[in-house]
Every structure is written in C-alpha cells, then in structure tokens.
Amino acid sequence: MRILADENMKRESVNELRAADHNVHWAYEIYRGTPDTNLLEIATADARLFITYDNDYGELVRRYGMPAPYGVILFRIHDDVPRDAEIKFIVGSVDIRNDWPPGVWTIQIRHSV
C-alpha cells in the first residue's frame, strides 16, 4: 500500500510498515514542517493513504471538505500501550485498510495497567 505517514508517526512504526512491503513516505524525512493542508494535498496527488496521530486532519476533511480519496487513519493510542503492541496495531490496521471505504477513520487502542 502507498502511505504518507505524518511527521508525528514514530520511526519504529514507519520502519515496520516498510518491512511489511508498504511504500511509505514519511513527512519527517521529506516534508518536515509542511502545513497539514499541503500534506493532505500531497497524499491525494500521490494516491497515498495518510496516517497520523493528529486529529486536525479529521477537521480538514470533514469540516472544510478537503479531499481524502485514499483515506486518513487517525490513531488514538493510549500512552500505556506497550510500544510493540502499538506498532503491531498500526501495521495490522494498514494491512486491512483495503476493505474500508474512503474517508477518515479514527482507530483507538487503550490499555489498562
């Protein structure tokens, strides 16, 4: 899958997505400091799913009508979730993404200590 990962995505998650044969552009590496609206435009122009921890993208798509034809996944992961579980969750969510309709998807994972 073609993915644009927001700057705020963790390096380990990006590396694991790449190891799973996803074509991942990471904003931290190539688009650092690019405004949110421009990142959505880049993802759309390059036919990429956009993944982020930043809930501003839901606002941009829903409230302001910015296009997201390849989708946006907004991850909301509790700080207590172990890092390896978080990475598996992100990769697994992307792996099953082809079965979802376009739009903004918020995916949450919580963990009790």
Side-chain angles (χ1 to χ4, degrees), residues 61-98:
V61 173
R62 288 201 173 121
R63 183 174 291 178
Y64 300 109
M66 287 201 66
Y70 302 97
V72 174
I73 299 179
L74 167 61
F75 290 101
R76 308 304 298 162
I77 301 175
H78 194 277
D79 291 340
D80 289 341
V81 173
R83 180 65 58 99
D84 61 333
E86 178 177 348
I87 293 168
K88 284 182 182 180
F89 182 75
I90 289 169
V91 172
S93 297
V94 168
D95 284 343
I96 64 168
R97 168 61 182 90
N98 285 332

Side-chain angles (χ1 to χ4, degrees), residues 6 15-16 18 22 30 73 84 86 88 96 98 102 112:
D6 198 3
N15 290 342
E16 285 298 316
R18 288 174 174 160
H22 295 289
I30 39 183
I73 299 179
D84 61 333
E86 178 177 348
K88 284 182 182 180
I96 64 168
N98 285 332
S112 299

Side-chain angles (χ1 to χ4, degrees), residues 19-100:
D21 291 326
H22 295 289
N23 179 318
V24 182
H25 286 183
W26 187 22
Y28 183 81
E29 293 173 334
I30 39 183
Y31 303 115
R32 192 178 308 179
T34 300
D36 294 350
T37 52
N38 293 77
L39 286 176
L40 267 183
E41 290 169 352
I42 290 166
T44 298
D46 204 23
R48 291 181 180 276
L49 168 68
F50 190 80
I51 62 172
T52 185
Y53 290 111
D54 184 352
N55 62 8
D56 289 349
Y57 289 93
E59 290 284 314
L60 289 174
V61 173
R62 288 201 173 121
R63 183 174 291 178
Y64 300 109
M66 287 201 66
Y70 302 97
V72 174
I73 299 179
L74 167 61
F75 290 101
R76 308 304 298 162
I77 301 175
H78 194 277
D79 291 340
D80 289 341
V81 173
R83 180 65 58 99
D84 61 333
E86 178 177 348
I87 293 168
K88 284 182 182 180
F89 182 75
I90 289 169
V91 172
S93 297
V94 168
D95 284 343
I96 64 168
R97 168 61 182 90
N98 285 332
D99 297 336
W100 305 346

